Amino acid sequence: MAEPLDIVWSRPLPEGAEPSTVTVSRDPAGRWHVSILVETTIIHAPPTDHVVGVDAGITSLVTLSTGDKITNPKHERRDRERLARAQRALARKEKGSANRVKARLRVARVHARIADRRRDLLHKLTTRLVRENQLVVIEDLAVRNMLRNGSLARAISDASWSDLRSMLEYKCDWYGRDLVVVDRWLPSSKTCSDCGYVLDTLPLHVREWTCDCGARHDRDVNAARNILAAGQAVTACGAGVRPTRR
């Protein structure tokens, strides 16, 4: 091939950086990727007084202690019918045939489309949270255990809470922010963020509730505020910040 390749750069190389390793790979969807390793220094973001608590969910991907809610686009659900058609077409193709190879690529491209859109949203969301806030507080969710719930497993996988946490961890480290992970057993939804009263029970279908003190709470916003308060208490007391992940 005499002419140059049609390459789409995800980002420019740091000025003056010399690549030490170049890795060429091909994903299941047939796309070629070139990964270039360079040594560079990431500049910390300017300090800010803003702090935020983050409550992960399904209907709202995240709810912030500020009251903002980020709607969950449910990428897998939106492309579920397209994926099912591609998988049915693949199942009908004869093994070893050229048509089966083409059908397999169509299935892989649908999966890649879902994964790319999900990853793009998570990167934009986590970058925004880290740039705008000096302290980010999240909850230590047992995602692996939650996936055992057959009725919610697909939705939880699509929300990709583990990737959300991983991105927050390394971006906070890069940009000089503080990340606090509070105990998963914190009754964040059942505790009144105004007076501290804790309900005995709060069924999952109850999205709003009123405390005896008169405060009316949105379940997710109230949880995010309690998560933030717990994180600030951990920071002030110097307790363990990040629970052990297994």
Side-chain angles (χ1 to χ4, degrees):
M1 180 179 293
E3 61 275 6
L5 295 174
D6 184 17
I7 296 177
V8 178
W9 291 85
S10 62
R11 70 197 64 168
L13 290 176
E15 187 176 352
E18 291 293 333
S20 59
T21 304
V22 178
T23 304
V24 180
S25 60
R26 187 181 184 185
D27 66 14
R31 301 176 301 180
W32 291 93
H33 300 272
V34 179
S35 176
I36 302 175
L37 179 63
V38 299
E39 184 175 348
T40 185
T41 301
I42 299 176
I43 301 175
H44 285 183
T48 177
D49 294 331
H50 295 163
V51 296
V52 69
V54 181
D55 178 58
I58 294 177
T59 302
S60 297
L61 182 61
V62 296
T63 301
L64 307 182
S65 54
T66 58
D68 295 336
K69 292 188 175 185
I70 309 300
T71 303
N72 185 1
K74 301 179 180 179
H75 298 298
E76 187 273 338
R77 185 173 181 177
R78 290 169 61 184
D79 280 343
R80 189 174 297 174
E81 186 176 345
R82 177 183 298 182
L83 178 60
R85 287 199 303 267
Q87 289 174 328
R88 287 196 297 267
L90 173 62
R92 290 194 294 266
K93 299 299 185 288
E94 183 180 352
K95 291 184 178 180
S97 66
N99 284 337
R100 185 175 178 86
V101 173
K102 295 177 184 177
R104 184 195 61 77
L105 278 176
R106 281 193 288 270
V107 172
R109 285 169 184 157
V110 177
H111 278 296
R113 168 187 166 91
I114 296 170
D116 288 347
R117 293 166 67 187
R118 181 189 297 126
R119 191 181 307 112
D120 180 67
L121 173 67
L122 291 177
H123 272 300
K124 290 177 179 177
L125 172 61
T126 53
T127 299
R128 171 195 159 190
L129 292 174
V130 171
R131 283 181 176 173
E132 293 180 354
N133 300 279
Q134 185 66 39
L135 172 66
V136 181
V137 187
I138 60 176
E139 195 173 10
D140 181 34
L141 297 175
V143 177
R144 183 176 299 177
N145 294 337
M146 298 171 74
L147 289 175
R148 296 173 183 171
N149 185 332
S151 59
L152 294 177
R154 199 166 189 172
I156 292 172
S157 296
D158 193 25
S160 196
W161 295 334
S162 296
D163 288 343
L164 175 70
R165 172 171 173 172
S166 297
M167 290 181 185
L168 283 173
E169 285 180 339
Y170 77 75
K171 289 181 182 181
C172 282
D173 186 45
W174 278 1
Y175 296 112
R177 302 308 198 196
D178 298 319
L179 177 68
V180 174
V181 183
V182 300
D183 191 352
R184 70 184 62 168
W185 304 112
L186 174 74
S188 55
S189 298
K190 299 189 296 181
T191 303
C192 175
S193 56
D194 285 4
C195 70
Y197 177 74
V198 182
L199 296 176
D200 292 331
T201 59
L202 185 64
L204 194 59
H205 68 274
V206 177
R207 309 313 301 174
E208 293 185 354
W209 60 280
T210 302
C211 180
D212 292 341
C213 70
R216 183 164 182 81
H217 297 296
D218 176 285
R219 179 192 184 107
D220 298 330
V221 175
N222 179 64
R225 289 173 179 166
N226 286 321
I227 289 171
L228 173 60
Q232 290 176 313
V234 167
T235 303
C237 297
V241 174
R242 297 182 181 177
T244 303
R245 299 184 69 182
R246 295 183 179 180

